[in-house]
Amino acid sequence: MATDLYQSITDRILSLLEQGIVPWRSPILGHGPAGRPRNFITGRDYRGINVFLLAMTRHMEGYASSRWLTFRQANEIGGSVRKGERSTLVVFWKSYQTTDRVSGEEKTVPVLRYFRLFNADQCEGLPAEEVATPIEAVRSPIESAAAIVGGYRNPPTLEHAGVRAFYRPSDDLVRVPPIERFVGMEEYYATLLHEMAHSTAHSKRLARGIDTNPQSFGSSGYAKEELVAEMGAAFLCAEAGISPSVIENQAAYIGGWMQRLRDDKRLVVTAAAAGQKAADWILGRAHPNETPSEEAVSS
């Protein structure tokens, strides 16, 4: 029987929320590049929803390593997966050529596919992991967060005023309260990065419709954009090495997202993909062909 990947991933995230764990608000995604999930052989970081799936599995299973690989990869480098170990499902987009039923024209359709990974701690006989030795002094998390904000090319206008943080698309303006109103600099930057992630939705950036097709509060479109910003901020916080901002009403927050995810099994996967793109845009890293278009994943 075919696997419903969207439902499988959503069920996994829902199980975490039921335990009071919010993956995109968890400080265990890894502080800095060394802690993020990456492939044992290629060293490439896993991305999108896979970051949350692998980071949370590592935490809950107590794995020391942040490196992952497939059963075949382990064998190819002279190692093996220990008998009885359970794999972790991750997903990727694969493009297929098909014919449009209405126009008869050829088009590319992205389809969600999966493979299974094992943590290096689940294997034996693997070569020792290489640990990079820093040559220069490493930035502090606060310095890293400031550098991310400062490196945002053609950013929105930033204003410090009032008591509420928001992004106003009509003026391309991010407003956050003055720094002294926050309990600490990590809280300040976590809040700022969330609003910066929203700003990538503007039509002159990633064009998620925030200025051309605004959604009313409480609508499914509004909720999706909020989750995109939550996940984009999570990736940026992990990049800097800071913790996400504190949730004031945790129970209500979790309950709200659980209902949204139950109503839309595609939401968490597509929002994570868009959140990754938002983080990439702010960081100046382009991955143009990695994920499908908004129109494709919503059809």
Side-chain angles (χ1 to χ4, degrees), residues 196-215:
M196 290 292 188
H198 273 309
S199 74
T200 65
H202 197 280
S203 55
K204 66 183 180 182
R205 298 184 184 97
L206 293 175
R208 294 195 299 273
I210 199 168
D211 55 324
T212 58
N213 184 29
Q215 301 293 306

Side-chain angles (χ1 to χ4, degrees), residues 30-265:
H31 285 177
R36 289 198 298 271
R38 57 182 54 190
N39 185 269
F40 188 94
I41 296 176
T42 67
R44 293 195 189 101
D45 290 342
Y46 292 101
R47 297 167 51 75
I49 193 64
N50 296 329
V51 175
F52 302 116
L53 295 173
L54 295 175
M56 301 311 296
T57 298
R58 176 192 176 194
H59 171 71
M60 298 182 78
E61 297 296 331
Y63 300 140
S65 177
S66 60
R67 301 292 184 102
W68 300 78
L69 70 175
T70 65
F71 188 93
R72 177 181 293 182
Q73 285 179 323
N75 290 337
E76 288 176 346
I77 58 175
S80 62
V81 177
R82 283 192 292 272
K83 187 176 181 179
E85 294 287 352
R86 297 180 61 183
S87 62
T88 299
L89 182 146
V90 292
V91 295
F92 66 100
W93 299 103
K94 187 173 178 63
S95 296
Y96 290 93
Q97 290 295 122
T98 187
T99 302
D100 189 281
R101 295 179 181 178
V102 178
S103 67
E105 297 179 353
E106 291 293 312
K107 66 177 183 178
T108 301
V109 178
V111 179
L112 197 64
R113 292 289 183 254
Y114 76 97
F115 57 99
R116 295 185 176 276
L117 295 175
F118 294 90
N119 187 273
D121 285 6
Q122 297 177 276
C123 304
E124 53 192 8
L126 299 180
E129 295 185 32
E130 295 184 6
V131 179
T133 302
I135 299 175
E136 301 177 357
V138 179
R139 286 173 173 161
S140 72
I142 299 305
E143 290 172 332
S144 296
I148 289 172
V149 174
Y152 188 172
R153 296 185 62 184
N154 301 315
T157 300
L158 174 59
E159 183 178 278
H160 292 86
V163 295
R164 186 171 64 91
F166 60 85
Y167 171 64
R168 184 187 296 149
S170 59
D171 299 322
D172 195 23
L173 168 72
V174 166
R175 177 182 288 179
V176 293
I179 294 175
E180 57 268 21
R181 285 188 174 272
F182 292 87
V183 296
M185 291 300 291
E186 287 202 0
E187 182 84 8
Y188 164 75
Y189 277 111
T191 301
L192 177 56
L193 292 174
H194 177 100
E195 302 306 332
M196 290 292 188
H198 273 309
S199 74
T200 65
H202 197 280
S203 55
K204 66 183 180 182
R205 298 184 184 97
L206 293 175
R208 294 195 299 273
I210 199 168
D211 55 324
T212 58
N213 184 29
Q215 301 293 306
S216 60
F217 179 82
S219 68
S220 59
Y222 185 97
K224 181 170 183 177
E225 173 57 32
E226 189 61 27
L227 188 55
V228 169
E230 287 278 84
M231 291 183 165
F235 296 133
L236 293 169
C237 285
E239 180 78 19
I242 64 175
S243 297
S245 53
V246 175
I247 304 172
E248 292 185 4
N249 191 338
Q250 175 97 346
Y253 178 93
I254 289 177
W257 283 118
M258 287 179 68
Q259 188 58 54
R260 289 289 183 184
L261 267 56
R262 290 191 181 108
D263 292 341
D264 182 1
K265 66 182 179 181

